[in-house]
Amino acid sequence: SQTIHQWPATLVQPVGSPLSLECTVEGTSNPNLYWYRQAAGRGLQLLFYSVGIGQISSEVPQNLSASRPQDRQFILSSKKLLLSDSGFYLCAWSSGSGYEQYFGPGTRLTVT
Amino acid sequence: AQSVSQHNHHVILSEAASLELGCNYSYGGTVNLFWYVQYPGQHLQLLLKYFSGDPLVKGIKGFEAEFIKSKFSFNLRKPSVQWSDTAEYFCAVNGGATNKLIFGTGTLLAVQP
């Protein structure tokens, strides 16, 4: 069966520090991968998605970037964190366009 | 652009009460529709989905949703809620077989024993 992992579960980082959040999927190949930010009362905002290695689509201009160095690995990064980057970050995968997405446990990021 | 509206932001019910959570979307073409649930401290998980066929969709834990194309709606229902249904519920739409799901802002359901 397929599983999705995210780490770390929680992270506290100072403003201006770099960020790297990792997401890996097991039990499937060539998944679509997604990064979301979830804010209370605002639902899920899609940040990036990827349909293959090295292929990244950005949904909103921001201080973050994403990379997909391997088929089942998706990384969310920042060179210098802002206070506004605080939030709950979710990774998800799907087997193709239009299909349901399956979510990881999320990372709670606090920028101080 | 596609959008999803969930009209109820916070719902409080007593056990055994009936539930209906509204979801409306804006997209004129073929859509795939989803309801997700997030129980306290748990992953976001799929509750049910509609791709085509019978517009009344059955999901897990006694939930169902009805797709009404003329109303651009996909409301979630359950005849009798339980305390364990306390969670946040999200409606999502994928239109035009794109790679993206558009989520509503969520409805927080609290069921009182």
Side-chain angles (χ1 to χ4, degrees):
Chain A
S1 64
Q2 302 87 4
T3 55
I4 178 168
H5 304 279
Q6 282 186 249
W7 64 89
T10 60
L11 189 60
V12 180
Q13 292 280 99
V15 168
S17 64
L19 173 74
S20 181
L21 302 182
E22 190 162 343
C23 170
T24 58
V25 181
E26 296 177 356
T28 187
S29 58
N30 196 31
N32 287 358
L33 296 171
Y34 308 83
W35 278 112
Y36 291 87
R37 180 162 50 207
Q38 183 179 13
R42 296 176 60 184
L44 279 74
Q45 180 187 32
L46 179 63
L47 303 176
F48 301 94
Y49 69 92
S50 171
V51 299
I53 295 174
Q55 301 178 59
I56 308 295
S57 295
S58 174
E59 286 299 295
V60 293
Q62 59 201 311
N63 185 44
L64 302 169
S65 62
S67 61
R68 185 170 177 174
Q70 299 181 47
D71 181 46
R72 290 169 289 174
Q73 183 185 31
F74 205 24
I75 297 172
L76 185 68
S77 304
S78 173
K79 292 181 179 178
K80 289 185 179 182
L81 284 168
L82 306 172
L83 283 174
S84 57
D85 292 324
S86 292
F88 191 55
Y89 290 86
L90 289 169
C91 181
W93 73 273
S94 72
S95 58
S97 300
Y99 294 101
E100 61 267 34
Q101 296 179 14
Y102 299 94
F103 288 82
T107 295
R108 175 76 58 191
L109 171 66
T110 304
V111 182
T112 59
Chain B
Q2 300 174 38
S3 66
V4 177
S5 297
Q6 290 183 243
H7 317 295
N8 318 102
H9 298 293
H10 198 180
V11 174
I12 301 173
L13 294 173
S14 298
E15 277 195 310
S18 64
L19 170 72
E20 181 159 3
L21 301 182
C23 173
N24 288 90
Y25 64 92
S26 66
Y27 183 74
T30 303
V31 290
N32 294 337
L33 297 158
F34 308 86
W35 275 98
Y36 283 84
V37 60
Q38 189 170 31
Y39 297 102
Q42 295 189 26
H43 298 202
L44 198 65
Q45 56 186 285
L46 182 68
L47 198 55
L48 48 78
K49 60 187 178 185
Y50 172 80
F51 286 175
S52 63
D54 188 345
L56 185 61
V57 179
K58 305 283 186 184
I60 60 172
K61 304 187 179 185
F63 285 91
E64 64 179 32
E66 185 175 13
F67 170 51
I68 303 179
K69 188 175 182 180
S70 61
K71 295 185 177 180
F72 298 91
S73 70
F74 190 55
N75 291 356
L76 181 70
R77 299 194 293 248
K78 185 170 183 178
S80 176
V81 295
Q82 301 172 316
W83 177 79
S84 58
D85 294 323
T86 294
E88 191 161 17
Y89 294 81
F90 294 92
C91 182
V93 62
N94 171 277
T98 69
N99 289 302
K100 298 180 275 189
L101 282 186
I102 307 299
F103 282 84
T105 53
T107 297
L108 200 56
L109 171 66
V111 180
Q112 298 175 333

